[in-house]
Amino acid sequence: MHFRIRKNVVQFIRTTYDPELKRPKAAVVGRIPLENPIISKDLRAKLTEEEYVQACAWIEHEQRTTGLREELAARTLAETLAAANRWFQRQDNLSELDWITGSILPELQLLRKTIKRVID
């Protein structure tokens, strides 16, 4: 079994050998939301015990990896912002500047709200 991330969903893929085609055949067994990866009773019934153990291990690994990635982002944010500030200061006429700043400003506003809520 392997796992495929599609937007906000994780697909559980089972690969079996097709003797007629003489090659492996992949089939989606089920899917779960990436944000809240809980295996439903229906999906659990479709999985073998070995596949269920693999799925639980994959979910645990992904959650840990995501948590570590987010922690690293938080711990290095000040340094990243300083580097971005230096880069912006060197730009004279960058055609993509509007697009870049347009994506940054809303995230900065959300971050300020979150930090304010945590501090208060």
Side-chain angles (χ1 to χ4, degrees):
M1 169 151 290
H2 68 275
F3 309 94
R4 182 185 304 150
I5 297 175
R6 292 286 188 253
K7 295 188 181 182
N8 298 322
V9 174
V10 179
Q11 295 177 331
F12 290 54
I13 312 294
R14 180 183 291 141
T15 305
T16 55
Y17 183 75
D18 187 340
E20 289 180 15
L21 298 174
K22 296 184 180 181
R23 62 183 170 135
K25 182 179 177 183
V28 177
V29 178
R31 56 188 53 84
I32 59 173
L34 188 58
E35 186 72 27
N36 187 19
I38 296 173
I39 299 173
S40 68
K41 290 179 184 177
D42 291 339
L43 178 55
R44 173 65 181 104
K46 295 177 185 177
L47 300 174
T48 66
E49 188 60 34
E50 182 180 344
E51 289 172 337
Y52 179 70
V53 169
Q54 287 175 350
C56 289
W58 185 88
I59 290 168
E60 183 180 327
H61 172 78
E62 283 300 306
Q63 287 181 324
R64 176 136 169 78
T65 301
T66 299
L68 289 170
R69 193 177 297 122
E70 290 170 351
E71 180 181 352
L72 178 64
R75 290 182 179 273
T76 60
L77 181 59
E79 179 182 322
T80 302
L81 288 172
N85 188 37
R86 290 189 302 272
W87 182 81
F88 277 117
Q89 288 173 352
R90 292 192 306 269
Q91 303 311 307
D92 291 331
N93 189 12
L94 183 65
S95 61
E96 297 177 343
L97 194 60
D98 287 339
W99 181 83
I100 294 170
T101 57
S103 63
I104 292 172
L105 292 175
E107 293 299 327
L108 282 175
Q109 290 169 345
L110 287 173
L111 179 62
R112 286 182 58 137
K113 285 180 184 178
T114 302
I115 290 173
K116 184 173 171 47
R117 185 177 38 98
V118 170
I119 292 174
D120 289 343

